[in-house]
Amino acid sequence: MGKFNLPELTYGYDALEPYIDATTMEIHFSKHHAAYVNNLNNAIAGTELEAKSLDELLANAGMLPTAVRNNGGGHFNHSLFWSIMGKDKGGNPSGKLAEELNSTFGSFESFKDAFSKAAATRFGSGWAWLLVKDGKLVVSSTPNQDNPLMDIAEVEGTPILGLDVWEHAYYLKYQNRRPEYIENFFNVINWDEVSKRYENTL
Ligand code: MN3
């Protein structure tokens, strides 16, 4: 057993059907995410990095061996991703997050457009993010398994919503139709969890 472990998936592989299919979920969680965890553990084993928390590793990503940056990012990103989705979710956010989305982007629909565009235009593999930077909501995207917690990120901050746009996240069901996958992602977002993460930054 290594230092880092797969988180518990709090819903079944079929919980996000029909928007994200059970086979994709099973492979994504039990193979892809598990591989990031194993490779991260192997990459830090026997080194001084073994004493660092995941947050500490990510904050110093620019100085890390590539395997630690990629797999540490992969572990964090997927852990966040599973937590911000759920069965019978979707809809609109409420409370402070809804107010801040409205005041930042003009409306929820405008936010959705900005986030969807970031996800659709991320070339190759990567992630789209809604993050908090200096108290403000910002949409960004990162390549590979990078994320806004990393010192090398173009836009640094605390991610509260992330969407995996690697082909392994959607190809079985959507093939090349990434925009359709992005549209359907909005049917499974757990806005209560995103709100909780937002309020934790205040
Ligand atoms: Mn993935």
Side-chain angles (χ1 to χ4, degrees):
M1 190 91 124
K3 169 171 178 155
F4 295 106
N5 296 291
L6 266 183
E8 187 192 353
L9 191 63
T10 58
Y11 44 83
Y13 291 137
D14 63 354
L16 309 181
E17 290 270 10
Y19 309 112
I20 299 180
D21 62 287
T23 306
T24 294
M25 279 299 298
E26 180 169 3
I27 296 171
H28 202 173
F29 180 78
S30 71
K31 305 291 186 197
H32 289 276
H33 190 170
Y36 295 122
V37 171
N38 290 337
N39 293 337
L40 174 60
N41 286 331
N42 290 337
I44 60 172
T47 77
E48 59 185 8
L49 297 176
E50 218 168 8
K52 306 281 187 195
S53 69
L54 187 55
D55 282 353
E56 287 174 312
L57 290 175
L58 298 176
N60 296 288
M63 295 174 355
L64 294 178
T66 306
V68 180
R69 169 175 166 179
N70 288 342
N71 292 292
H75 179 38
F76 176 89
N77 296 349
H78 289 84
S79 299
L80 176 99
F81 189 47
W82 313 133
S83 80
I84 53 86
M85 299 190 289
K87 188 176 176 61
D88 301 324
K89 301 297 184 185
N92 289 8
S94 58
K96 282 184 186 161
L97 175 60
E99 287 169 25
E100 195 61 24
L101 283 169
N102 284 336
S103 72
T104 304
F105 297 95
S107 66
F108 178 69
E109 284 307 311
S110 299
F111 153 71
K112 190 177 162 184
D113 288 347
F115 185 89
S116 299
K117 188 177 172 202
T121 58
R122 166 48 55 189
F123 184 76
S125 297
W127 291 75
W129 304 103
L130 174 64
L131 62 127
V132 181
K133 177 185 168 65
D134 304 326
K136 300 283 180 200
L137 291 173
V138 184
V139 162
S140 78
S141 73
T142 54
N144 305 313
Q145 295 296 354
D146 288 355
N147 68 48
L149 292 175
M150 293 182 174
D151 54 352
I152 42 76
E154 219 170 286
V155 187
E156 279 184 72
T158 304
I160 60 172
L161 175 71
L163 175 60
D164 189 343
V165 295
W166 284 55
E167 285 187 344
H168 68 227
Y170 63 87
Y171 208 84
L172 286 180
K173 183 178 175 72
Y174 296 98
Q175 293 85 49
N176 61 325
R177 305 187 307 279
R178 190 194 285 190
E180 195 180 324
Y181 160 69
I182 295 166
E183 176 69 28
N184 278 339
F185 169 64
F186 282 86
N187 293 309
V188 297
I189 296 176
N190 180 350
W191 284 112
D192 289 339
E193 175 65 23
V194 182
S195 280
K196 198 172 89 188
R197 288 173 179 270
Y198 173 64
E199 289 182 21
N200 282 344
T201 69
L202 301 179

